[in-house]
Amino acid sequence: MKIARAVATALLTLAGVARADGAGSQSLYVYSTINALLAGAYEGDQTVGSVRQHNDFAIGTFNGLDGELVAWDGVFFHVRADGSVKPASDDERIPLVYALPFKPTVSSELGADAAGSLKALEASLDKQLANPNAFWAVQIRGRLASVTTRAIPRQARPYVPLAEAAKHQATWTRTDLDGTLIGLRSPAFSAGISVPGWHWHFVSGDKSIGGHVLAGSLSSGVLRAQELTRMQLELPATSDFLAVDQRDRSSELKQVEGAR
Ligand SMILES: [Zn+2]
């Protein structure tokens, strides 16, 4: 029997304070799930152009697991394992993305406690951002003492799980540079759909380096942040998504987020 292909769209209202009319509450758009990506569902039918219609801020990847997606101010960047950082074109396809129209309500200079390591930055933000049970979108423009990023090379079928593919990732470390960190903090209960805790992507000011952030140390920076109490989850209609085993993959997630 053939499984009917249908786009399943679920609207979930999370964490209390969203009003019925949605006023004052922007929605986080999620296409696919982190567990599907961990399991090897690397092809989606979503496009950069379609995501960009309603969103100007995003973290994700591209079909075939071809590098890393990072977007702010409506510019979607494609960071590849060959080290290139280029604007993505509208017809590029996406297997997983977290996107939103960024309307920050928090703006502040980061304090000295945010310097030294990614962990220190995250601990400092956790103190500032009031509700740990909401999603938070964060943009930091700043000076970094160091940053280590990665991008995974485009995969070919048959796809192996992400923990396997990530063994072939390209990594770069740079010191003393300007850049933009794009972060999403997801609550613990969103495990399986998102990466619980912080997830960072980066592009340097000169666009010479970018990717998924494995480690880093901020010297100074300006934070802009937005709380999100709504999430719109769209499940891909691809055969990959239908077929993969989306069991608990939290230990695999730790491996691939790693190197902190
Ligand atoms: Zn990432």
Side-chain angles (χ1 to χ4, degrees):
M1 196 178 87
K2 281 191 176 169
I3 300 169
R5 286 166 60 97
V7 175
T9 301
L11 268 171
L12 303 179
T13 300
L14 300 172
V17 299
R19 285 174 280 177
D21 62 0
S25 170
Q26 297 296 325
S27 186
L28 174 69
Y29 171 72
V30 180
Y31 178 72
S32 193
T33 68
I34 190 69
N35 273 10
L37 198 79
L38 285 162
Y42 300 152
E43 290 187 26
D45 45 19
Q46 186 54 279
T47 63
V48 167
S50 162
V51 172
R52 195 187 347 231
Q53 268 184 359
H54 304 289
N55 307 283
D56 59 8
F57 180 112
I59 281 182
T61 184
F62 294 91
N63 271 13
L65 204 61
D66 181 18
E68 311 282 340
L69 181 156
V70 52
W72 72 94
D73 292 347
V75 181
F76 283 58
F77 289 101
H78 190 159
V79 182
R80 287 192 170 88
D82 64 5
S84 61
V85 181
K86 297 206 172 101
S89 58
D90 279 349
D91 59 358
E92 288 190 67
R93 290 190 177 269
I94 293 171
L96 174 71
V97 75
Y98 305 87
L100 57 131
F102 190 51
K103 299 197 175 7
T105 54
V106 175
S107 181
S108 70
E109 194 97 18
L110 286 165
D113 66 333
S117 70
L118 200 56
K119 278 223 175 338
L121 170 64
E122 292 171 355
S124 170
L125 295 177
D126 284 346
K127 276 188 276 171
Q128 287 186 59
L129 305 179
N131 180 2
N133 290 319
F135 291 88
W136 286 89
V138 164
Q139 178 191 41
I140 297 170
R141 282 203 174 105
R143 187 93 193 147
L144 292 96
S146 71
V147 66
T148 300
T149 58
R150 73 109 189 274
I152 297 173
R154 186 180 186 95
Q155 302 293 298
R157 288 187 183 277
Y159 292 137
V160 294
L162 183 54
E164 211 39 55
K167 289 179 183 164
H168 307 288
Q169 68 190 12
T171 64
W172 305 273
T173 298
R174 290 276 180 84
T175 55
D176 198 24
L177 72 173
D178 292 319
T180 299
L181 284 161
I182 294 298
L184 180 68
R185 189 188 192 285
S186 301
F189 62 78
S190 68
I193 296 172
S194 186
V195 177
W198 289 99
H199 182 184
W200 298 100
H201 285 195
F202 175 76
V203 174
S204 64
D206 63 4
K207 313 291 187 290
S208 69
I209 178 181
H212 173 101
V213 178
L214 296 174
S217 169
L218 208 67
S219 308
S220 63
V222 174
L223 161 77
R224 297 199 299 155
Q226 175 182 2
E227 182 180 2
L228 298 143
T229 55
R230 291 183 163 219
M231 181 179 72
Q232 182 191 14
L233 174 63
E234 181 173 352
L235 303 180
T238 57
S239 51
D240 279 1
F241 185 87
L242 297 174
V244 291
D245 174 7
Q246 297 199 37
R247 63 173 188 267
D248 176 14
R249 290 180 182 269
S250 42
S251 61
E252 291 166 60
L253 181 61
K254 275 207 180 77
Q255 275 180 49
V256 301
E257 289 300 299
R260 292 195 180 180

